[in-house]
Amino acid sequence: MLSELSKINNYYNSFNYVSDTVAFDKKDYWQTPLEFEKNKYGDCEDFAIAKFFKLKENKIDSNIVYCLANGEAHMVCLVDDYILDNINRNIISAKHTNYFFIFMFNTEYWKVMKNNVPFGIARDINNLKLWKDLIIRYQGELC
């Protein structure tokens, strides 16, 4: 599995980091995987989202994690204990990182995280507006 994770991580990490304010003149815009593939640039959530859907396509369960990395808001893709990130280009263990996980989500639910592990009840994914909007746009692109 690690070789598949590395392949996906390396592919998307070859794209360029560009902030939403520069790329889209918006504070926050979540690209669909197809938009990200076409543009070949984006910010951290675009990398995490594209990796999440590519893993899903390859039948590998993962979550997107909103976290703090070096005190800055960030998003990564998490598979079991492995972090796929656009900042640290190597796949790293969640146990050996200074990232502080705040919440995780996937296409079914979102959960608060405590001590970098899921905590409490699963919550309705429709409460994450940017994610819900992205899913609707992505489903439209796939039709």
Side-chain angles (χ1 to χ4, degrees), residues 64-82:
I64 298 170
V65 177
Y66 179 77
C67 61
L68 294 177
N70 302 317
E72 302 260 335
H74 189 49
M75 277 195 199
V76 297
C77 191
L78 183 68
V79 179
D80 297 327
D81 179 49
Y82 300 109

Side-chain angles (χ1 to χ4, degrees), residues 13 17 44 47 51 69-70 72-76 84-90 99:
N13 283 350
Y17 178 90
C44 63
F47 285 87
K51 292 172 188 181
N70 302 317
E72 302 260 335
H74 189 49
M75 277 195 199
V76 297
L84 284 71
D85 190 5
N86 68 301
I87 292 175
N88 186 334
R89 298 196 174 244
N90 296 316
Y99 293 4

Side-chain angles (χ1 to χ4, degrees), residues 17-29 42-43 45:
Y17 178 90
V18 178
S19 72
D20 289 337
T21 53
V22 171
F24 305 106
D25 197 27
K26 294 182 179 185
K27 182 180 176 186
D28 208 10
Y29 179 74
D43 64 0
E45 75 267 0

Side-chain angles (χ1 to χ4, degrees), residues 32-34 53 107 132-143:
T32 68
L34 295 176
F53 279 104
T107 54
K132 181 182 173 185
D133 293 347
L134 177 138
I135 296 294
I136 291 167
R137 290 193 335 269
Y138 188 49
Q139 288 170 339
E141 291 173 351
L142 295 176
C143 291

Side-chain angles (χ1 to χ4, degrees), residues 117-132:
V117 295
F119 176 79
I121 60 169
R123 299 166 192 261
D124 186 351
I125 199 65
N126 290 315
N127 293 335
L128 298 176
K129 184 179 177 351
L130 288 170
W131 182 239
K132 181 182 173 185

Side-chain angles (χ1 to χ4, degrees), residues 1-13 51 55 60-62 76-97 99 101:
M1 178 175 77
L2 273 177
S3 70
E4 187 67 24
L5 297 181
S6 291
K7 182 178 171 185
I8 291 167
N9 198 50
N10 292 337
Y11 172 73
Y12 287 110
N13 283 350
K51 292 172 188 181
L55 290 163
I60 299 172
D61 291 334
S62 67
V76 297
C77 191
L78 183 68
V79 179
D80 297 327
D81 179 49
Y82 300 109
I83 296 174
L84 284 71
D85 190 5
N86 68 301
I87 292 175
N88 186 334
R89 298 196 174 244
N90 296 316
I91 294 174
I92 56 176
S93 168
K95 293 176 186 165
H96 305 298
T97 181
Y99 293 4
F101 297 169

